[in-house]
Amino acid sequence: MRARSGPTLEHRVVAEQLRLARERAGCGLAAVAAALDLSEATVRRIERAETALDAGQVRDLLEYYNHPEDDARRIRASLVRANEPGWWHRWRDILPPWQRDVIGIESSAGVVRIWHPALVPDLLRTPAYAAAVEAVRHPEAPPAVRARRTEFLRARQERFREREAVLWGLIPEAALHTCVGSPGVMREQLDALRRATARPNITLQVMPLTAGPHALTGAPPLELLRLPVQEIPDHAVVGGPGGDALVTHDDAVVSAYRMLMDSACGAAPAAGVPLPDPYPA
């Protein structure tokens, strides 16, 4: 079994296909485990993409479910790619558990919507801004670890740019006045935001300082992820203290957060309004 570094989208899709195949066959976890001499925990871990996919186990599961052969053949053919480590594998040692769980989703999302109540969203941060945030958030971490975290963020951003996925961000204007690092770092960050938002796939709305309360006022950082495959539902990543986060794909919860995001974006000025310039050269 490979070291746990978070499942790729391909891995999640195969795991979900196996779960659906079991449910369509009308089989319970206990019955499957007993018939194939597995533990219920093993079957559950396979369906949750929490363990590498063993070709023999997958074959036996599909045969037990009497799954249509054409579809079973496609599932088996995708196992090699599903078991390949994700591009983020080299950084697995510095990723918190919640990020290992969601990075495969983010790396394949077609649409990413972000709210941050106090800072520039991480996918839009410059290296200097990101390093300054790391220094404040993790002052006890060795400089080498903080540097690797910043390097990992740059890799996330590069993959996002290569895929040209849609990014829609919402922040309060106060985030652009908060001096992270130094005035020079902030000037660089603001210039980077202007360049980023000139691209057709990136939108940034800024809630003015004079605006009243809105649906996300006081809410923690929020990221909504939409996948281009029907097997995987939308996910929400809700920030917590100290950079921790909760990841959920519960439809009711994600829908509720989506409604809050829609309402807050509707209350903000339209995209394309020039960014404030609190740090002129």
Side-chain angles (χ1 to χ4, degrees):
M1 185 185 301
R2 70 169 183 266
R4 176 72 172 154
S5 62
T8 61
L9 178 64
E10 293 84 356
H11 189 166
R12 289 180 184 271
V13 168
V14 172
E16 180 65 9
Q17 289 172 334
L18 291 172
R19 184 187 68 81
L20 291 173
R22 176 179 61 78
E23 292 182 349
R24 287 168 184 154
C27 301
L29 287 172
V32 174
L36 300 182
D37 195 26
L38 301 170
S39 68
E40 285 189 52
T42 296
V43 179
R44 190 177 293 109
R45 282 170 58 80
I46 289 172
E47 293 185 356
R48 292 178 178 174
E50 293 176 349
T51 184
L53 295 163
D54 178 88
Q57 289 177 342
V58 171
R59 181 196 62 238
D60 292 345
L61 288 168
L62 292 172
E63 289 179 357
Y64 182 73
Y65 302 149
N66 196 27
H67 200 64
E69 181 54 31
D70 285 349
D71 196 34
R73 189 181 300 112
R74 283 192 292 271
I75 293 174
R76 292 194 301 269
S78 64
L79 288 181
V80 172
R81 186 171 181 186
N83 276 327
E84 291 177 350
W87 64 265
W88 57 89
H89 188 73
R90 61 179 289 199
W91 288 284
R92 66 192 181 281
D93 59 306
I94 54 102
L95 300 184
W98 70 265
Q99 195 162 36
R100 290 198 295 269
D101 285 342
V102 79
I103 185 61
I105 297 292
E106 183 191 84
S107 296
S108 301
V111 179
V112 178
R113 300 179 69 187
I114 300 177
W115 151 257
H116 201 293
L119 298 171
V120 172
D122 51 3
L123 286 175
L124 295 173
R125 291 174 187 171
T126 64
Y129 186 103
V133 172
E134 280 292 327
V136 172
R137 182 170 289 166
H138 302 287
E140 78 294 345
V145 172
R146 296 203 301 264
R148 291 195 70 221
R149 287 174 176 155
T150 301
E151 178 187 43
F152 170 66
L153 175 58
R154 293 182 68 180
R156 285 173 59 200
Q157 294 171 337
E158 181 61 29
R159 182 172 178 85
F160 191 89
R161 281 192 292 268
E162 289 174 352
R163 295 190 301 109
E164 296 185 338
V166 172
L167 173 63
W168 193 305
L170 173 66
I171 59 174
E173 185 180 342
L176 303 181
H177 289 262
T178 300
C179 188
V180 175
S182 69
V185 169
M186 291 305 300
R187 283 193 290 271
E188 180 187 50
Q189 178 64 76
L190 288 166
D191 287 343
L193 286 177
R194 295 184 185 99
R195 292 193 299 272
T197 54
R199 300 201 294 269
N201 60 314
I202 295 181
T203 298
L204 181 65
Q205 289 180 273
V206 179
M207 192 70 72
L209 290 171
T210 54
H214 54 84
L216 287 174
T217 296
L222 173 64
E223 186 174 38
L224 299 177
L225 305 170
R226 171 154 291 179
L227 276 296
V229 294
Q230 63 180 4
E231 291 90 346
I232 309 299
D234 291 0
H235 280 57
V237 184
V238 187
D244 201 1
L246 169 70
V247 181
T248 180
H249 57 79
D250 180 276
D251 184 63
V253 175
V254 175
S255 293
Y257 279 121
R258 187 185 303 113
M259 291 177 64
L260 292 176
M261 182 78 83
D262 288 344
S263 177
C265 287
V273 175
L275 295 177
D277 191 10
Y279 296 95

